Amino acid sequence: MGTEYKKLSEIGDIITGKTPSTGNHELWDGVIPFITPTDIKGYDAYYIKSTERTISDYGASKQTKTILPKNAICVSCIASIGKMCLTKCRSITNQQINSIIPNSSYDYRYVLYMLRYNLPYIQLVGGGSGSGTPIISKNKFAKFKFPVETDLHLQCKIASILSAYDNLIENNMKRIYLLEQMAENLYKEWFVRFRFPGYETDRLVTSKLGKLPSSFRVANMGSVFDYYIGGGWGNDDISDDYPVEASVIRGTDFPNVSRYNISSCPRRYHKISNYKSRQLVDGDIVMEISGGTSEQPVGRTILVTQEMIDRFKDGKVICASFCKLIRLNKAAVSPYFFYYWMQYLYDTRIIDRFQLQSTGIINFKFEAFLRKGLVMLPPMEIMQHFDNYIIPIFKEINALATQNEILARQRDLLLPRLISGKLEVKF
């Protein structure tokens, strides 16, 4: 027993996914997760928690050879090479993912961490295919050969140490999700069903936005903006023209950047004028305007809080070129209320009307919509009352997100030492 070089095909069965016919509705909308690279939220994902689309039992019966059991390891092998996760139940992937079902000689968690450890090599091979798009074929994936620990008991010990961190991160993410649901449900109760404090003495009247409480008013969204500006990108290297270093939130970071994935945002150098006008501050709304898909159109938003800014290095952060920064007049509207208003526009697919479907970019009509479109404005005292409930929830979310960043750093420090054998594991 000890470390030996093994092909992935010797470690388990290799499965390449397949997308069922999108024109046959009988194949879709069941309970079986359909995993795509977009569903894998990062390069250190653990279990896949949810997917945009699902497969029916009938759809699964048509491609039994691609069905994955629980605890299969899925690895993205086209475009975003190396994103990986574990299946939490019986699942199917698309053709961009190769998966491995470990045999009885290997702990599935150990195989996941071993592949994470070898991620730079996987990405190097995938990017060197000679084609315009990075790709790793099933045949090439199966032939990957890595040094692996062959003692199953030692594999389990290593995997248990590392998975303890991922389990804690996953539990924190569950708590974050519940807190987000609490905040969203409160918004719906107060401002969709209009059961806010004192609603009994208010009456509904007709407005440009339909029936609203008489104490509410309707205004152009642009009237509550202090300003509205595009993001920036910056420069790779420091120079006299680009002296300020700051983190950059990209569309690809939505919405995880507000939950836990601050470290994924790149650092760039910026001109002083560019940085000063675009530096994010407490209460800013960042909106993604490019890179959407039919399943996940552009228009998602992030509410920037001071606690979130503090999690960035030096507290310096701007948004990227394909995002918009909306800075609100806080005397006219609560940023927390406006954030959920924008979420409402997104969830009801109102924003989706402005997406150029072929490119995933919001069109120019949206600029006019944001300035001249309508927003419902409750009385300021109601919005402030709403803030009193919502702000502690956001603070708790950021505290949990900070814990996750610390846990992830500790896990990532241990991972190479444990997998390489440099750190001895005792029974």
Side-chain angles (χ1 to χ4, degrees):
M1 293 293 182
T3 300
E4 296 181 12
Y5 275 86
K6 296 285 185 179
K7 294 179 182 178
L8 288 185
S9 58
E10 297 177 280
I11 294 174
D13 296 328
I14 308 299
I15 306 293
T16 300
K18 180 182 178 182
T19 301
S21 171
T22 55
N24 187 344
H25 299 298
E26 291 183 289
L27 306 177
W28 297 92
D29 299 326
V31 297
I32 301 171
F34 179 64
I35 304 171
T36 70
T38 302
D39 296 311
I40 305 174
K41 300 307 180 186
Y43 286 90
D44 60 351
Y46 196 49
Y47 277 109
I48 188 78
K49 299 175 181 62
S50 62
T51 56
E52 286 290 327
R53 303 197 69 180
T54 54
I55 304 293
S56 67
D57 287 331
Y58 176 69
S61 71
K62 295 298 182 179
Q63 49 184 77
T64 55
K65 293 183 179 180
T66 64
I67 295 176
L68 302 174
K70 180 181 179 180
N71 297 329
I73 300 101
C74 304
V75 183
S76 173
C77 288
I78 298 180
S80 52
I81 298 287
K83 290 170 67 175
M84 58 188 77
C85 68
L86 296 172
T87 55
K88 203 159 193 172
C89 59
R90 189 169 61 127
S91 305
I92 292 175
T93 76
N94 73 355
Q95 58 275 13
Q96 294 178 303
I97 292 175
N98 288 316
S99 302
I100 180 168
I101 305 170
N103 61 42
S104 59
S105 298
Y106 295 91
D107 184 291
Y108 65 92
R109 300 166 302 170
Y110 174 83
V111 177
L112 172 72
Y113 292 120
M114 182 273 293
L115 289 172
R116 275 197 205 169
Y117 173 67
N118 289 285
L119 176 61
Y121 174 79
I122 294 172
Q123 292 178 324
L124 178 65
V125 172
S129 62
S131 64
T133 301
I135 185 170
I136 299 174
S137 66
K138 178 180 179 180
N139 185 52
K140 184 183 290 185
F141 186 75
K143 290 180 179 178
F144 276 153
K145 184 180 283 190
F146 301 116
V148 297
E149 174 56 56
T150 56
D151 186 325
L152 181 58
H153 295 294
L154 189 52
Q155 288 177 27
C156 293
K157 185 66 175 178
I158 292 170
S160 295
I161 293 170
L162 294 170
S163 63
Y165 289 92
D166 277 314
N167 287 330
L168 287 171
I169 291 171
E170 187 171 6
N171 286 335
N172 281 347
M173 287 303 299
K174 289 178 181 177
R175 293 172 63 188
I176 287 173
Y177 174 78
L178 291 174
L179 288 165
E180 289 174 334
Q181 291 299 111
M182 287 172 54
E184 185 177 331
N185 289 337
L186 182 66
Y187 175 83
K188 289 178 179 178
E189 181 71 4
W190 284 26
F191 304 119
V192 176
R193 292 183 284 271
F194 299 127
R195 296 177 68 86
F196 53 89
Y199 78 94
E200 301 90 345
T201 59
D202 216 331
R203 60 188 178 88
L204 295 180
V205 297
T206 302
S207 75
K208 292 179 180 179
L209 288 172
K211 292 285 189 178
L212 295 181
S214 60
S215 61
F216 288 27
R217 66 186 181 91
V218 175
N220 290 335
M221 282 193 284
S223 69
V224 299
F225 294 176
D226 260 357
Y227 69 89
Y228 168 73
I229 191 171
W233 181 238
N235 192 43
D236 283 326
D237 302 312
I238 189 170
S239 68
D240 291 339
D241 291 332
Y242 292 82
V244 182
E245 187 183 19
S247 300
V248 183
I249 296 176
R250 307 156 297 176
T252 189
D253 298 314
F254 282 59
N256 293 332
V257 68
S258 61
R259 296 176 178 175
Y260 67 96
N261 207 19
I262 293 292
S263 60
S264 70
C265 297
R267 299 279 291 179
R268 306 280 290 193
Y269 290 97
H270 306 270
K271 293 182 178 180
I272 292 177
S273 58
N274 179 286
Y275 172 72
K276 284 186 175 180
S277 63
R278 291 167 173 80
Q279 180 184 9
L280 300 181
V281 300
D282 182 42
D284 283 346
I285 305 288
V286 177
M287 184 176 198
E288 170 202 36
I289 61 168
S290 177
T293 65
S294 57
E295 290 83 15
Q296 195 172 68
V298 292
R300 294 177 295 172
T301 52
I302 291 173
L303 173 62
V304 178
T305 64
Q306 187 58 50
E307 291 77 17
M308 178 179 167
I309 293 169
D310 291 341
R311 286 162 53 207
F312 284 94
K313 181 181 178 181
D314 304 326
K316 293 180 177 180
V317 58
I318 69 169
C319 59
S321 306
F322 292 116
C323 298
K324 290 288 187 180
L325 162 59
I326 301 173
R327 184 156 297 163
L328 300 164
N329 177 356
K330 295 180 182 179
V333 65
S334 155
Y336 292 90
F337 170 83
F338 192 83
Y339 165 72
Y340 284 105
W341 175 258
M342 295 301 293
Q343 289 286 92
Y344 165 77
L345 295 181
Y346 183 83
D347 292 340
T348 54
R349 312 290 279 198
I350 291 174
I351 290 177
D352 194 21
R353 300 197 313 246
F354 299 95
Q355 181 180 180
L356 301 176
Q357 295 295 342
S358 61
T359 60
I361 298 174
I362 285 180
N363 64 35
F364 292 110
K365 292 181 181 178
F366 187 72
E367 303 280 345
F369 171 74
L370 265 185
R371 297 181 185 281
K372 298 180 181 179
L374 301 178
V375 58
M376 171 187 74
L377 293 176
M380 182 53 70
E381 58 267 26
I382 295 296
M383 287 192 278
Q384 289 173 343
H385 198 175
F386 177 70
D387 287 356
N388 291 338
Y389 285 98
I390 296 297
I391 289 174
I393 293 176
F394 271 71
K395 288 182 181 295
E396 180 64 18
I397 288 172
N398 273 289
L400 291 168
T402 300
Q403 288 181 24
N404 278 358
E405 289 176 358
I406 295 170
L407 289 168
R409 284 198 297 270
Q410 293 172 337
R411 177 204 61 207
D412 292 344
L413 286 171
L414 282 173
L415 189 149
R417 300 183 67 196
L418 287 170
I419 297 297
S420 67
K422 291 180 180 179
L423 182 63
E424 184 180 358
V425 176
K426 295 182 179 181
F427 293 98

